Amino acid sequence: GENVEQHPSTLSVQEGDSAVIKCTYSDSASNYFPWYKQELGKGPQLIIDIRSNVGEKKDQRIAVTLNKTAKHFSLHITETQPEDSAVYFCAASRDDYKLSFGAGTTVTVRA
Amino acid sequence: NAGVTQTPKFQVLKTGQSMTLQCAQDMNHNSMYWYRQDPGMGLRLIYYSASEGTTDKGEVPNGYNVSRLNKREFSLRLESAAPSQTSVYFCASSPTSLEQYFGPGTRLTVT
């Protein structure tokens, strides 16, 4: 099955700086890569996703890049704000209803 | 539009007891999912239902059963709870086989 590794496990950034989270996947047939944000005591929330036919996607302060050859994808958050503090999960799927999640990155934005 | 709702929010069981976790969605989504979340392990798929009338095993189905009652509702049953099933359980739904929307979770403790 698919194996998704996520790094780093914790990330502390100064408010206004950028944050980058990286994930690698093992199944070359995977073609869908979402990112979820989970705040304390809540369910994961889909914040951005990318399909394998696209190399980069942006939505305001967040962007995701995909390198299919190297089988890795990354989440970039620019101009971080305190409300960006949360746990972020990457995931991968081969469009078969099954999402394989990374272990998560706890992001702390210092004021 | 409540999205995905789950009941109960919290539950404590003794080893060997049974219970059913309830999930409902009001987004007219075709597919529904059950995950468990354990510290440092991300989310793992227990069962999913691609459409009304179908259910399939995920990564960690042992000890669980599911019922897709209708298009809106998807329940998860623990027949004989074990301490290893202590976890946070999330239900999700999706209009396709890709993007998934999660409920608020049920925190289950088995003593």
Side-chain angles (χ1 to χ4, degrees), chain B residues 13-59:
Chain B
L13 290 177
K14 294 186 188 304
T15 297
Q17 288 184 319
S18 62
M19 80 160 295
T20 300
L21 282 64
Q22 307 287 353
C23 174
Q25 54 94 6
D26 63 1
M27 297 176 283
N28 200 35
H29 286 172
N30 289 319
S31 53
M32 297 186 73
Y33 310 79
W34 277 105
Y35 290 87
R36 60 178 289 172
Q37 183 176 36
D38 302 295
M41 299 187 71
L43 291 98
R44 292 182 293 168
L45 182 64
I46 304 171
Y47 271 94
Y48 68 99
S49 171
S51 61
E52 186 179 356
T54 69
T55 60
D56 286 284
K57 295 178 181 179
E59 182 184 355

Short mmCIF file of all heavy atoms in Angstrom, two decimals, chain B residues 13-59:
data_model
loop_
_atom_site.label_atom_id
_atom_site.label_comp_id
_atom_site.label_asym_id
_atom_site.label_seq_id
_atom_site.Cartn_x
_atom_site.Cartn_y
_atom_site.Cartn_z
N LEU B 13 -15.96 3.22 27.63
CA LEU B 13 -16.47 1.86 27.65
C LEU B 13 -15.57 0.98 28.51
O LEU B 13 -14.38 1.26 28.65
CB LEU B 13 -16.48 1.26 26.24
CG LEU B 13 -17.47 1.79 25.21
CD1 LEU B 13 -17.24 1.08 23.88
CD2 LEU B 13 -18.89 1.61 25.69
N LYS B 14 -16.13 -0.10 29.01
CA LYS B 14 -15.33 -1.11 29.66
C LYS B 14 -14.99 -2.18 28.62
O LYS B 14 -15.74 -2.40 27.66
CB LYS B 14 -16.08 -1.74 30.82
CG LYS B 14 -16.36 -0.79 31.97
CD LYS B 14 -16.97 -1.53 33.13
CE LYS B 14 -17.44 -0.60 34.22
NZ LYS B 14 -16.37 0.28 34.73
N THR B 15 -13.87 -2.84 28.79
CA THR B 15 -13.48 -3.92 27.89
C THR B 15 -14.61 -4.92 27.74
O THR B 15 -15.21 -5.37 28.73
CB THR B 15 -12.22 -4.62 28.43
OG1 THR B 15 -11.14 -3.67 28.46
CG2 THR B 15 -11.82 -5.78 27.53
N GLY B 16 -14.93 -5.26 26.48
CA GLY B 16 -15.98 -6.23 26.20
C GLY B 16 -17.33 -5.62 25.89
O GLY B 16 -18.19 -6.30 25.33
N GLN B 17 -17.52 -4.35 26.25
CA GLN B 17 -18.80 -3.71 25.94
C GLN B 17 -18.87 -3.39 24.45
O GLN B 17 -17.86 -3.33 23.74
CB GLN B 17 -18.96 -2.42 26.75
CG GLN B 17 -19.24 -2.67 28.22
CD GLN B 17 -19.50 -1.38 28.98
OE1 GLN B 17 -18.85 -0.36 28.76
NE2 GLN B 17 -20.47 -1.43 29.89
N SER B 18 -20.09 -3.17 23.98
CA SER B 18 -20.29 -2.82 22.58
C SER B 18 -20.90 -1.43 22.48
O SER B 18 -21.51 -0.93 23.44
CB SER B 18 -21.21 -3.84 21.90
OG SER B 18 -22.49 -3.83 22.50
N MET B 19 -20.70 -0.81 21.34
CA MET B 19 -21.34 0.48 21.08
C MET B 19 -21.30 0.79 19.60
O MET B 19 -20.53 0.20 18.84
CB MET B 19 -20.65 1.61 21.86
CG MET B 19 -19.38 2.12 21.25
SD MET B 19 -18.95 3.77 21.88
CE MET B 19 -20.29 4.77 21.25
N THR B 20 -22.16 1.73 19.21
CA THR B 20 -22.24 2.18 17.82
C THR B 20 -21.99 3.68 17.77
O THR B 20 -22.62 4.44 18.51
CB THR B 20 -23.61 1.86 17.21
OG1 THR B 20 -23.81 0.44 17.24
CG2 THR B 20 -23.66 2.34 15.77
N LEU B 21 -21.07 4.08 16.91
CA LEU B 21 -20.81 5.49 16.65
C LEU B 21 -21.64 5.89 15.42
O LEU B 21 -21.64 5.20 14.41
CB LEU B 21 -19.33 5.75 16.36
CG LEU B 21 -18.36 5.80 17.54
CD1 LEU B 21 -18.27 4.47 18.27
CD2 LEU B 21 -16.98 6.24 17.08
N GLN B 22 -22.33 7.02 15.57
CA GLN B 22 -23.21 7.47 14.52
C GLN B 22 -22.59 8.61 13.72
O GLN B 22 -21.89 9.46 14.27
CB GLN B 22 -24.55 7.94 15.11
CG GLN B 22 -25.25 6.94 16.01
CD GLN B 22 -25.87 5.79 15.24
OE1 GLN B 22 -25.89 5.78 14.01
NE2 GLN B 22 -26.38 4.79 15.98
N CYS B 23 -22.86 8.63 12.42
CA CYS B 23 -22.38 9.70 11.54
C CYS B 23 -23.46 10.02 10.53
O CYS B 23 -24.09 9.10 9.98
CB CYS B 23 -21.11 9.27 10.83
SG CYS B 23 -20.52 10.45 9.58
N ALA B 24 -23.67 11.31 10.28
CA ALA B 24 -24.63 11.74 9.27
C ALA B 24 -24.08 12.95 8.53
O ALA B 24 -23.36 13.77 9.11
CB ALA B 24 -25.97 12.08 9.91
N GLN B 25 -24.40 13.03 7.24
CA GLN B 25 -23.99 14.19 6.43
C GLN B 25 -25.19 14.71 5.65
O GLN B 25 -26.04 13.93 5.21
CB GLN B 25 -22.83 13.81 5.49
CG GLN B 25 -23.06 12.61 4.61
CD GLN B 25 -23.59 12.90 3.24
OE1 GLN B 25 -23.71 14.06 2.84
NE2 GLN B 25 -23.93 11.85 2.50
N ASP B 26 -25.22 16.03 5.50
CA ASP B 26 -26.35 16.67 4.81
C ASP B 26 -25.90 17.35 3.53
O ASP B 26 -26.55 18.29 3.06
CB ASP B 26 -27.06 17.65 5.75
CG ASP B 26 -26.17 18.80 6.19
OD1 ASP B 26 -25.00 18.85 5.75
OD2 ASP B 26 -26.63 19.64 6.99
N MET B 27 -24.80 16.88 2.93
CA MET B 27 -24.25 17.49 1.73
C MET B 27 -24.56 16.67 0.47
O MET B 27 -24.03 16.96 -0.60
CB MET B 27 -22.74 17.66 1.90
CG MET B 27 -22.40 18.62 3.05
SD MET B 27 -20.64 18.77 3.37
CE MET B 27 -20.32 17.23 4.24
N ASN B 28 -25.38 15.64 0.62
CA ASN B 28 -25.74 14.76 -0.49
C ASN B 28 -24.52 14.08 -1.12
O ASN B 28 -24.48 13.85 -2.33
CB ASN B 28 -26.52 15.53 -1.58
CG ASN B 28 -27.31 14.61 -2.48
OD1 ASN B 28 -27.83 13.58 -2.03
ND2 ASN B 28 -27.41 14.96 -3.74
N HIS B 29 -23.53 13.80 -0.28
CA HIS B 29 -22.32 13.14 -0.77
C HIS B 29 -22.56 11.65 -0.98
O HIS B 29 -23.32 11.01 -0.24
CB HIS B 29 -21.18 13.34 0.22
CG HIS B 29 -20.63 14.73 0.19
ND1 HIS B 29 -19.69 15.17 1.12
CD2 HIS B 29 -20.85 15.77 -0.64
CE1 HIS B 29 -19.37 16.42 0.84
NE2 HIS B 29 -20.07 16.81 -0.22
N ASN B 30 -21.87 11.10 -1.97
CA ASN B 30 -22.03 9.69 -2.26
C ASN B 30 -21.20 8.80 -1.34
O ASN B 30 -21.66 7.75 -0.90
CB ASN B 30 -21.62 9.39 -3.71
CG ASN B 30 -22.62 9.94 -4.69
OD1 ASN B 30 -23.83 9.84 -4.48
ND2 ASN B 30 -22.12 10.52 -5.77
N SER B 31 -19.95 9.18 -1.08
CA SER B 31 -19.08 8.29 -0.32
C SER B 31 -18.89 8.78 1.12
O SER B 31 -18.94 9.98 1.40
CB SER B 31 -17.72 8.14 -1.01
OG SER B 31 -17.13 9.39 -1.27
N MET B 32 -18.70 7.81 2.02
CA MET B 32 -18.50 8.11 3.45
C MET B 32 -17.42 7.21 4.00
O MET B 32 -17.16 6.11 3.46
CB MET B 32 -19.82 7.94 4.21
CG MET B 32 -20.91 8.90 3.77
SD MET B 32 -22.40 8.84 4.75
CE MET B 32 -21.85 9.65 6.27
N TYR B 33 -16.77 7.66 5.09
CA TYR B 33 -15.57 7.01 5.59
C TYR B 33 -15.53 7.04 7.12
O TYR B 33 -16.06 7.96 7.74
CB TYR B 33 -14.32 7.77 5.09
CG TYR B 33 -14.31 8.03 3.61
CD1 TYR B 33 -15.05 9.07 3.06
CD2 TYR B 33 -13.54 7.23 2.75
CE1 TYR B 33 -15.04 9.30 1.69
CE2 TYR B 33 -13.54 7.46 1.39
CZ TYR B 33 -14.29 8.50 0.86
OH TYR B 33 -14.27 8.73 -0.48
N TRP B 34 -14.85 6.05 7.69
CA TRP B 34 -14.51 6.06 9.11
C TRP B 34 -13.00 5.92 9.26
O TRP B 34 -12.38 5.02 8.67
CB TRP B 34 -15.19 4.92 9.86
CG TRP B 34 -16.59 5.23 10.27
CD1 TRP B 34 -17.74 4.76 9.71
CD2 TRP B 34 -16.99 6.08 11.36
NE1 TRP B 34 -18.83 5.27 10.37
CE2 TRP B 34 -18.40 6.08 11.38
CE3 TRP B 34 -16.30 6.84 12.30
CZ2 TRP B 34 -19.14 6.81 12.32
CZ3 TRP B 34 -17.02 7.56 13.23
CH2 TRP B 34 -18.42 7.54 13.24
N TYR B 35 -12.42 6.84 10.08
CA TYR B 35 -10.99 6.83 10.39
C TYR B 35 -10.81 6.77 11.91
O TYR B 35 -11.67 7.21 12.66
CB TYR B 35 -10.31 8.12 9.91
CG TYR B 35 -10.19 8.28 8.42
CD1 TYR B 35 -11.22 8.85 7.68
CD2 TYR B 35 -9.03 7.89 7.76
CE1 TYR B 35 -11.10 9.01 6.31
CE2 TYR B 35 -8.90 8.06 6.39
CZ TYR B 35 -9.94 8.62 5.68
OH TYR B 35 -9.81 8.79 4.32
N ARG B 36 -9.64 6.31 12.30
CA ARG B 36 -9.21 6.49 13.68
C ARG B 36 -7.91 7.28 13.69
O ARG B 36 -7.10 7.18 12.76
CB ARG B 36 -9.04 5.16 14.42
CG ARG B 36 -8.03 4.19 13.85
CD ARG B 36 -7.93 2.94 14.70
NE ARG B 36 -7.28 3.21 16.00
CZ ARG B 36 -7.20 2.33 16.99
NH1 ARG B 36 -7.73 1.13 16.87
NH2 ARG B 36 -6.58 2.65 18.11
N GLN B 37 -7.75 8.10 14.74
CA GLN B 37 -6.56 8.94 14.84
C GLN B 37 -5.88 8.65 16.17
O GLN B 37 -6.47 8.84 17.23
CB GLN B 37 -6.91 10.43 14.76
CG GLN B 37 -5.68 11.32 14.79
CD GLN B 37 -6.02 12.80 14.59
OE1 GLN B 37 -7.03 13.30 15.05
NE2 GLN B 37 -5.16 13.50 13.88
N ASP B 38 -4.65 8.21 16.09
CA ASP B 38 -3.84 7.92 17.27
C ASP B 38 -2.62 8.82 17.26
O ASP B 38 -2.11 9.18 16.19
CB ASP B 38 -3.44 6.44 17.28
CG ASP B 38 -4.64 5.52 17.26
OD1 ASP B 38 -5.39 5.55 18.26
OD2 ASP B 38 -4.85 4.82 16.26
N PRO B 39 -2.10 9.17 18.43
CA PRO B 39 -0.96 10.10 18.50
C PRO B 39 0.21 9.64 17.65
O PRO B 39 0.64 8.49 17.72
CB PRO B 39 -0.61 10.09 19.99
CG PRO B 39 -1.88 9.74 20.67
CD PRO B 39 -2.57 8.76 19.76
N GLY B 40 0.73 10.57 16.83
CA GLY B 40 1.92 10.28 16.02
C GLY B 40 1.68 9.37 14.84
O GLY B 40 2.64 8.97 14.17
N MET B 41 0.40 9.03 14.55
CA MET B 41 0.16 8.07 13.46
C MET B 41 -0.78 8.61 12.39
O MET B 41 -1.23 7.86 11.53
CB MET B 41 -0.42 6.77 14.03
CG MET B 41 0.51 6.09 15.00
SD MET B 41 -0.09 4.48 15.49
CE MET B 41 0.17 3.55 13.98
N GLY B 42 -1.10 9.87 12.44
CA GLY B 42 -2.00 10.39 11.43
C GLY B 42 -3.37 9.75 11.53
O GLY B 42 -3.79 9.30 12.60
N LEU B 43 -4.08 9.69 10.43
CA LEU B 43 -5.40 9.07 10.38
C LEU B 43 -5.30 7.78 9.58
O LEU B 43 -4.66 7.74 8.53
CB LEU B 43 -6.41 10.01 9.71
CG LEU B 43 -6.76 11.26 10.52
CD1 LEU B 43 -5.96 12.45 10.04
CD2 LEU B 43 -8.25 11.55 10.41
N ARG B 44 -5.96 6.76 10.07
CA ARG B 44 -5.97 5.47 9.39
C ARG B 44 -7.40 5.08 9.05
O ARG B 44 -8.29 5.15 9.90
CB ARG B 44 -5.29 4.40 10.25
CG ARG B 44 -3.80 4.63 10.41
CD ARG B 44 -3.15 3.52 11.24
NE ARG B 44 -3.60 3.55 12.63
CZ ARG B 44 -3.40 2.58 13.50
NH1 ARG B 44 -2.75 1.48 13.14
NH2 ARG B 44 -3.82 2.70 14.74
N LEU B 45 -7.60 4.65 7.81
CA LEU B 45 -8.93 4.32 7.32
C LEU B 45 -9.39 2.97 7.87
O LEU B 45 -8.69 1.96 7.74
CB LEU B 45 -8.91 4.28 5.79
CG LEU B 45 -10.22 4.00 5.09
CD1 LEU B 45 -11.24 5.10 5.35
CD2 LEU B 45 -9.99 3.83 3.59
N ILE B 46 -10.59 2.94 8.46
CA ILE B 46 -11.13 1.71 9.02
C ILE B 46 -12.03 1.03 7.98
O ILE B 46 -11.80 -0.13 7.60
CB ILE B 46 -11.96 2.00 10.30
CG1 ILE B 46 -11.12 2.74 11.34
CG2 ILE B 46 -12.48 0.68 10.90
CD1 ILE B 46 -11.92 3.25 12.53
N TYR B 47 -13.04 1.73 7.53
CA TYR B 47 -13.97 1.27 6.50
C TYR B 47 -14.41 2.47 5.68
O TYR B 47 -14.37 3.60 6.16
CB TYR B 47 -15.23 0.64 7.13
CG TYR B 47 -15.15 -0.83 7.42
CD1 TYR B 47 -14.77 -1.27 8.70
CD2 TYR B 47 -15.50 -1.78 6.46
CE1 TYR B 47 -14.72 -2.63 8.98
CE2 TYR B 47 -15.44 -3.14 6.75
CZ TYR B 47 -15.05 -3.56 8.01
OH TYR B 47 -15.01 -4.91 8.31
N TYR B 48 -14.87 2.19 4.47
CA TYR B 48 -15.47 3.24 3.67
C TYR B 48 -16.65 2.67 2.89
O TYR B 48 -16.79 1.46 2.73
CB TYR B 48 -14.45 3.90 2.74
CG TYR B 48 -13.93 3.02 1.63
CD1 TYR B 48 -14.44 3.11 0.33
CD2 TYR B 48 -12.89 2.13 1.86
CE1 TYR B 48 -13.94 2.32 -0.69
CE2 TYR B 48 -12.39 1.33 0.86
CZ TYR B 48 -12.92 1.43 -0.42
OH TYR B 48 -12.42 0.63 -1.43
N SER B 49 -17.48 3.60 2.42
CA SER B 49 -18.64 3.25 1.61
C SER B 49 -18.63 4.15 0.39
O SER B 49 -18.86 5.35 0.49
CB SER B 49 -19.93 3.47 2.42
OG SER B 49 -21.06 3.34 1.59
N ALA B 50 -18.32 3.59 -0.75
CA ALA B 50 -18.21 4.39 -1.97
C ALA B 50 -19.57 4.93 -2.42
O ALA B 50 -19.64 6.00 -3.03
CB ALA B 50 -17.57 3.56 -3.08
N SER B 51 -20.61 4.20 -2.11
CA SER B 51 -21.95 4.65 -2.46
C SER B 51 -22.94 3.90 -1.57
O SER B 51 -22.59 2.91 -0.92
CB SER B 51 -22.25 4.39 -3.93
OG SER B 51 -22.17 3.00 -4.20
N GLU B 52 -24.16 4.37 -1.56
CA GLU B 52 -25.19 3.74 -0.75
C GLU B 52 -25.30 2.27 -1.13
O GLU B 52 -25.36 1.93 -2.32
CB GLU B 52 -26.52 4.46 -0.97
CG GLU B 52 -27.63 3.98 -0.09
CD GLU B 52 -28.92 4.76 -0.33
OE1 GLU B 52 -28.90 5.71 -1.14
OE2 GLU B 52 -29.94 4.39 0.28
N GLY B 53 -25.27 1.39 -0.14
CA GLY B 53 -25.40 -0.03 -0.40
C GLY B 53 -24.09 -0.78 -0.51
O GLY B 53 -24.09 -2.01 -0.64
N THR B 54 -22.96 -0.06 -0.47
CA THR B 54 -21.66 -0.74 -0.55
C THR B 54 -20.78 -0.32 0.62
O THR B 54 -20.82 0.83 1.07
CB THR B 54 -20.91 -0.39 -1.85
OG1 THR B 54 -20.50 0.98 -1.82
CG2 THR B 54 -21.78 -0.63 -3.07
N THR B 55 -19.98 -1.28 1.11
CA THR B 55 -18.97 -0.97 2.13
C THR B 55 -17.72 -1.79 1.83
O THR B 55 -17.82 -2.91 1.28
CB THR B 55 -19.45 -1.30 3.56
OG1 THR B 55 -19.76 -2.69 3.66
CG2 THR B 55 -20.67 -0.47 3.94
N ASP B 56 -16.56 -1.23 2.17
CA ASP B 56 -15.30 -1.93 1.93
C ASP B 56 -14.34 -1.67 3.07
O ASP B 56 -14.39 -0.62 3.73
CB ASP B 56 -14.66 -1.45 0.61
CG ASP B 56 -15.36 -1.99 -0.59
OD1 ASP B 56 -15.15 -3.19 -0.89
OD2 ASP B 56 -16.11 -1.24 -1.22
N LYS B 57 -13.43 -2.63 3.28
CA LYS B 57 -12.44 -2.51 4.34
C LYS B 57 -11.36 -1.51 3.96
O LYS B 57 -10.96 -1.40 2.81
CB LYS B 57 -11.80 -3.87 4.62
CG LYS B 57 -12.76 -4.90 5.17
CD LYS B 57 -12.06 -6.24 5.37
CE LYS B 57 -13.03 -7.28 5.91
NZ LYS B 57 -12.38 -8.60 6.10
N GLY B 58 -10.87 -0.83 4.99
CA GLY B 58 -9.72 0.04 4.82
C GLY B 58 -8.47 -0.61 5.37
O GLY B 58 -8.31 -1.83 5.28
N GLU B 59 -7.63 0.20 5.97
CA GLU B 59 -6.32 -0.28 6.45
C GLU B 59 -6.42 -1.06 7.76
O GLU B 59 -5.67 -2.02 7.97
CB GLU B 59 -5.41 0.94 6.65
CG GLU B 59 -4.00 0.64 7.11
CD GLU B 59 -3.21 1.92 7.38
OE1 GLU B 59 -3.72 3.03 7.11
OE2 GLU B 59 -2.07 1.80 7.89
#
